[in-house]
Amino acid sequence: MDIAGFDLNLLKAFDALYAERHVTRAGQRIGLSQPAMSGALTRLREVLDDELFVRSSTGMQPTPRADDLAGPIAAALRLMQTVLLDDGFDPGTADHVVTIAMTDYAAFVLLPTLLAKLAIEAPRLEVRVRGIFGKDEVVDLLDSGEASLALSVPVHASARILTRPLLREGFVCIARPGHPAFANEADVAAFAAAPHLLVSPEGDRAGLVDRKLAALGLARRVVLSLPQFLVAPFVVADTDLIATLAARVARRFAAANLGIVVHEPPVALPDWPLAMMWHRRVNDHPATVWLRDCIAGIAASA
């Protein structure tokens, strides 16, 4: 049978005939006249090469072939109705996979709380995380559909990438307890003279701190550069290195009693935004809308 040329309306006719066992009543059930319903039965017999329904004193009785087809056809019609008519999203029963692209910072600050929320409200939803190691990756991941959402510093792209601000983050410094660069008499020159750890996901050899120090005629000595911040507190705790990190990250590490102390930077550093981005084509997708609201709510209290 050539499925490409098959009239799917015949499945509705079959289902109605199987339920009613009467041509006229089956037609009324699905809004067809008696002649149209008889025509549908004729086409079903031709396509399936079986009588399907045979007249008897008690109505149209299904053949064994019709009995075999009844369950699968009814299930197929229910599935089609669900797919075509379901315009909502029930997180409690959702069982699909959602991919979120995140920077290390976004994952550290938001992911644990998000997963805890999903475990209660959407326990069958599977989350996959794609790392973001450069701003250029965001647009590619969203354009290709590899990720439904991206959590990163906002990128300036065309109107096809939509953005929702999540939070603003500042910087603090971490050092071992008693570090001389943060003693009472220490100044910005002492800070610049200390050995520094630089976290740069994109591999830059200088950062915002270097630019601020340069404006004061100073330069710092970076002795270690890392692409991720996760190991930084452990290195700082056992050395004389100073690291400048996102405030939420640094304070969470300090609260874990890793042997580091948080200090305000001796130079003024601007804060920066974390944003959620998605492609315009998924803007109205119910599951994506629900997940965006979840993430925004978590970020508001982070």
Side-chain angles (χ1 to χ4, degrees):
M1 182 175 65
D2 180 13
I3 189 64
F6 183 76
D7 182 358
L8 294 179
N9 286 314
L10 295 179
L11 298 182
K12 291 175 59 180
F14 177 94
D15 188 61
L17 279 166
Y18 195 84
E20 298 292 345
R21 313 293 171 94
H22 190 281
V23 172
T24 301
R25 290 199 302 270
Q28 293 170 345
R29 185 184 182 102
I30 60 173
L32 291 181
S33 65
Q34 191 276 336
M37 196 68 200
S38 295
L41 177 56
T42 299
R43 293 196 300 277
L44 278 166
R45 286 168 170 167
E46 292 172 352
V47 169
L48 298 174
D49 194 24
D50 190 270
E51 281 294 297
L52 297 177
F53 298 94
V54 179
R55 294 187 183 278
S56 73
S57 59
T58 57
M60 303 289 288
Q61 294 302 311
T63 66
R65 171 70 167 150
D67 284 331
D68 291 340
L69 291 170
I73 287 176
L77 290 171
R78 287 194 299 270
L79 178 60
M80 291 172 63
Q81 185 177 33
T82 298
V83 170
L84 296 176
L85 298 181
D86 184 12
D87 59 356
F89 173 70
D90 181 1
T93 59
D95 60 358
H96 59 277
V97 178
V98 60
T99 301
I100 308 175
M102 296 183 177
T103 60
D104 285 341
Y105 170 83
F108 186 86
V109 172
L110 301 179
L111 191 57
T113 307
L114 175 61
L115 292 180
K117 181 178 180 67
L118 294 182
I120 297 171
E121 298 185 20
R124 298 169 62 187
L125 197 68
E126 179 182 344
V127 176
R128 294 179 183 171
V129 175
R130 285 288 305 266
I132 298 175
F133 303 102
K135 290 186 289 185
D136 293 340
E137 290 184 82
V138 171
V139 176
D140 291 340
L141 289 169
L142 297 177
D143 269 341
S144 66
E146 292 182 63
S148 299
L149 296 172
L151 308 182
S152 171
V153 294
V155 297
H156 300 290
S158 69
R160 69 183 183 277
I161 304 299
L162 304 178
T163 301
R164 182 173 181 174
L166 291 178
L167 55 81
R168 297 196 68 84
E169 180 62 286
F171 290 102
V172 295
C173 297
I174 58 172
R176 65 166 177 80
H179 197 291
F182 296 101
N184 289 335
E185 68 277 8
D187 58 11
V188 66
F191 171 80
H196 286 255
L197 181 158
L198 170 66
V199 177
S200 175
E202 296 180 319
D204 297 329
R205 300 183 65 182
L208 179 62
V209 173
D210 299 280
R211 294 190 289 274
K212 289 292 183 177
L213 290 173
L216 299 174
L218 298 171
R220 65 175 175 168
R221 182 167 61 96
V222 175
V223 301
L224 175 63
S225 297
L226 296 173
Q228 299 173 327
F229 62 76
L230 292 177
V231 72
F234 300 94
V235 173
V236 167
D238 292 332
T239 67
D240 278 337
L241 272 66
I242 296 169
T244 303
L245 301 179
R248 288 175 176 83
V249 171
R251 292 186 175 115
R252 192 170 298 179
F253 276 126
N257 297 317
L258 298 180
I260 60 172
V261 180
V262 174
H263 299 276
E264 289 298 319
V267 290
L269 300 175
D271 59 8
W272 52 273
L274 180 72
M276 176 165 50
M277 291 154 284
W278 62 94
H279 199 282
R280 184 175 294 277
R281 67 173 176 270
V282 301
N283 186 52
D284 297 321
H285 185 245
T288 307
V289 172
W290 182 84
L291 189 58
R292 292 200 307 261
D293 288 340
C294 284
I295 293 172
I298 291 167
S301 58

